[in-house]
Amino acid sequence: TSAINCLNTDTVNITVNPQPVTNAGNNVSICAGFSSTIGGSPTGPAGSTYNWSPSTGLNSTTLANPTASPTATTNYTVIVTGVTTCSDTDFVTVTVNPNPIANAGTDITVCPGVNTTLNGTGGGTYNWSPSGSLSNPNISNPVASPTTSTTYTLIVTLNTCTDTDFISMTTLPLPAVSAGSDVSMCIGGSTTLSATGTGTFLWSPSTNLSCTTCSNPAANPTSTTNYTVTITDASTCTNTDVV
């Protein structure tokens, strides 16, 4: 409208472009050294561009769903920009859990029939296998009673992260032992026992024996008696026989 009331018109169109709705995806937890895909599906309208930050641990900062492999817990921000330059922002946290360090202990040798306590460490939960010769495969220190040489596997789990270690338990052979042939004798008589084997000897009972730690003691029992000889080899494994 001019000063003398003359009129003229013109029009301007204001276009309201839709705002993209950004979705960075759910927070995730990974184990150290592992990775996870981040970003929702879909994260923005067709034709959108993506800008992730920081770039640390990402295989791309411009993908809708990059792979994240951070070495420490990281908060990632994604800015989604639509074809009309409108943008939106969202965040996602990638939590990095430390891996446990499993330690099944040092390899050991055992004598047959001897129970041995294993001593696993690493924290979290424990799982030993094979479990058949163990008192409890789900504790850190089960009692092992293998009949043959066995390698045990220990898996330690902490915050869903795992680590594995092994221990070999070698079962030694029993020492050979013989108490000799059975003997018949008259009351008041005496006989010499004759044990064989490699190691140290121990006879029992000691009644009416001239020696309990030699291989061939003289015996003069007054009644029928079962004498047991126990031999212990250099590995401290023992075996017995009876005459």
Side-chain angles (χ1 to χ4, degrees):
T1 302
S2 70
I4 57 174
N5 293 320
C6 296
L7 302 175
N8 200 359
T9 63
D10 194 16
T11 302
V12 61
N13 292 322
I14 299 177
T15 302
V16 179
N17 294 312
Q19 183 82 359
V21 179
T22 304
N23 182 2
N26 296 324
N27 294 333
V28 295
S29 294
I30 63 173
C31 301
F34 289 81
S35 61
S36 176
T37 300
I38 57 176
S41 179
T43 57
S48 298
T49 60
Y50 303 86
N51 184 13
W52 290 88
S53 63
S55 61
T56 305
L58 296 181
N59 69 329
S60 171
T61 59
T62 58
L63 290 176
N65 299 100
T67 299
S69 309
T71 57
T73 297
T74 303
N75 295 317
Y76 289 104
T77 301
V78 60
I79 300 174
V80 178
T81 303
V83 292
T84 57
T85 72
C86 297
S87 63
D88 190 29
T89 304
D90 197 17
F91 311 89
V92 64
T93 299
V94 178
T95 301
V96 179
N97 293 315
N99 292 313
I101 300 176
N103 186 353
T106 56
D107 295 342
I108 55 177
T109 57
V110 295
C111 299
V114 175
N115 297 335
T116 302
T117 299
L118 303 179
N119 291 291
T121 59
T125 60
Y126 298 85
N127 182 263
W128 295 86
S129 62
S131 60
S133 56
L134 298 177
S135 60
N136 185 340
N138 298 316
I139 60 176
S140 62
N141 55 346
V143 176
S145 308
T147 56
T148 60
S149 296
T150 304
T151 297
Y152 291 102
T153 301
L154 172 63
I155 299 176
V156 177
T157 303
L158 180 65
N159 295 324
T160 73
C161 302
T162 62
D163 191 31
T164 303
D165 196 22
F166 308 89
I167 183 173
S168 294
M169 185 174 293
T170 302
T171 302
L172 300 171
L174 286 172
V177 61
S178 172
S181 301
D182 294 340
V183 178
S184 294
M185 56 177 287
C186 298
I187 294 176
S190 178
T191 187
T192 299
L193 305 182
S194 298
T196 57
T198 302
T200 60
F201 297 87
L202 181 65
W203 291 90
S204 65
S206 59
T207 307
N208 298 311
L209 291 181
S210 63
C211 173
T212 59
T213 57
C214 55
S215 62
N216 55 350
N220 57 345
T222 58
S223 61
T224 298
T225 303
N226 291 321
Y227 287 106
T228 299
V229 63
T230 300
I231 191 169
T232 303
D233 64 13
S235 300
T236 72
C237 295
T238 62
N239 201 3
T240 62
D241 195 22
V242 179
V243 61

